[in-house]
Amino acid sequence: MKGPSKFNKHWLVSAFMVLAVLACVSSIAIAAETAHTSSGTAWWFWPLCMFFFTFTIGLIAPVSGVGGGVLFVPIATAFFPFSMDFVRGTGLIMAMMSAFSSTPYLMKKGLANLKLMTPILIVSTIFSIIGGVLGLWITNAFPLGKYYLTIALGVVLFIIFVVMSKAKKLEFPEVKEEDVDPISKKLDITGAWFEPNLNKVVHYRTTKMPIGFVAFALVGMIAGMFGLGAGWANVPVLNMIMGAPIKVATSTSMAIITVNDAAACWIYISKGALLPLVLIPAVLGISIGAKIGAKIAEKAKPTFVRYLVMFILLAAGVIDVIKGLGGLGIIPKII
Amino acid sequence: MANNNDFQVDPMGLAFGKTMEILTYVGLAAMLIPGIIYLFGVRPFTDVHLVAAHWGEPASQFWEHVNNMTVHGYSWFLSHLGYMDMLCIAGVAILGSVPLFSILAAALKAKGPYKGLLFLLLLEFAFAIVKPLVLGGAGE
């Protein structure tokens, strides 16, 4: 009896996600069509589309460990009539809300690890501040630098995608006690969670903290320098370099995003880049979606999580390359 | 005897998560209640129709065109808290402070090196709040 029940749940969740994606895509398509055929849409039309769109992103974000901004900003910029400033401001708050909504649950389940995220956050935040100061100088001296870097990031994402598709044991990497570096040992970075797919508690430890520091310093520096947002980089570093199981990596990434995005939101507030008319439907959508998404994240099969992360990395990579080439004027600017 | 299926969730993580959960509800209410009231046209600082007419403009131009004001820092919404849309932005500011209190709650439960590390993180986050006033919009 256990088999069919699990089977039904799996299909119910999958059907629900597919329906949500279809609803979102159709609402955006209808919205885009209407915008082309009529210039006089009611003021509530686009905010309503925004709700369905962010609800779908909320379902996906906690399962994949990305804040949602990586999907939201390019799609919203392409289909919605809001200025880039308001899209980015809303995208950030939305990503923050999806992380706020799912992190408490993931912490309670032992999937998100505070011991792992604390040292990493200290390093990435310091370098993000240094990057911010350097960014002021670089933006003035080298205005097209942002686009070259965006293309480079896209290429890096593609390389990570290829490495992830070939790598083995990413779901449950094996870290032997003798392989643990002195910093991770001193900080006792270990954890455990109940894995429903295996019906047992999985104990894990992480390693290579010094390399993790360098990777997160780079990520923080780039994010701070160019305001690119780099939630996507957390998962591969935690999983492939530091040996955290894929579900721990995605969950801890969400916890990291709570702090990173909340810190960044003050810049958008100070610039007035937030409009309640856009923000309210987006936050309602993402909050409801992420609550459901966090429950899906707990039950999701690690292999499914791995493929979802890979898909998002690939999509983000392609978007970055298109954005960079568009910024340099090599192709028409579509994002 | 403890078996392999026994595990305890880290108390620091639990404190972090619990504080985040409670304050997120507080911040959400502070943002959503005035925000939804605003959508019904009650006490707006900027009328919804006017917003819809200008939401395609960059933020600085938008505020200049609809309210004839220059936005910098936090006084633009803090000095208009009698209006629902500005109260909504204050709700966002409350949400933006959630990790500050969550890190503090975790630090109070922390032992050993994590006490110092979490207080360091707390200081970094506090700096992020004042950073836009000190360094402008860099480093988003």
Side-chain angles (χ1 to χ4, degrees), chain B residues 129-140:
Chain B
I129 297 176
V130 295
K131 192 171 75 170
L133 306 174
V134 182
L135 297 174
E140 39 193 275

Side-chain angles (χ1 to χ4, degrees), chain B residues 65-83:
Chain B
H65 289 161
V66 300
N67 293 108
N68 198 23
M69 63 196 269
T70 307
V71 166
H72 174 69
Y74 307 132
S75 62
W76 65 276
F77 70 94
L78 287 175
S79 54
H80 299 102
L81 288 180
Y83 299 96

Side-chain angles (χ1 to χ4, degrees), chain A residues 83 85 88 126 187 224 268 272, chain B residues 4 55 59 63 114 124 139-140:
Chain A
S83 113
D85 285 354
R88 286 182 69 190
I126 289 173
L187 293 175
Y268 286 87
Chain B
N4 202 36
W55 60 23
W63 290 107
Y114 282 100
E124 285 185 0
E140 39 193 275

Side-chain angles (χ1 to χ4, degrees), chain A residues 69-153:
Chain A
V70 70
L71 296 171
F72 173 82
V73 175
I75 299 174
T77 309
F79 290 106
F80 287 82
F82 316 125
S83 113
M84 185 70 181
D85 285 354
F86 300 123
V87 168
R88 286 182 69 190
T90 304
L92 184 91
I93 303 299
M94 208 198 72
M96 184 175 92
M97 286 315 303
S98 81
F100 280 177
S101 303
S102 54
T103 296
Y105 184 78
L106 297 170
M107 282 277 177
K108 221 183 290 175
K109 291 286 165 186
L111 280 164
N113 190 331
L114 190 83
K115 285 181 177 177
L116 177 59
M117 80 178 228
T118 302
I120 284 167
L121 263 174
I122 290 171
V123 171
S124 70
T125 310
I126 289 173
F127 277 86
S128 141
I129 294 167
I130 296 170
V133 178
L134 281 176
L136 273 179
W137 172 75
I138 287 178
T139 312
N140 290 329
F142 191 43
L144 292 178
K146 178 176 180 167
Y147 299 116
Y148 285 108
L149 195 84
T150 308
I151 295 169
L153 280 178

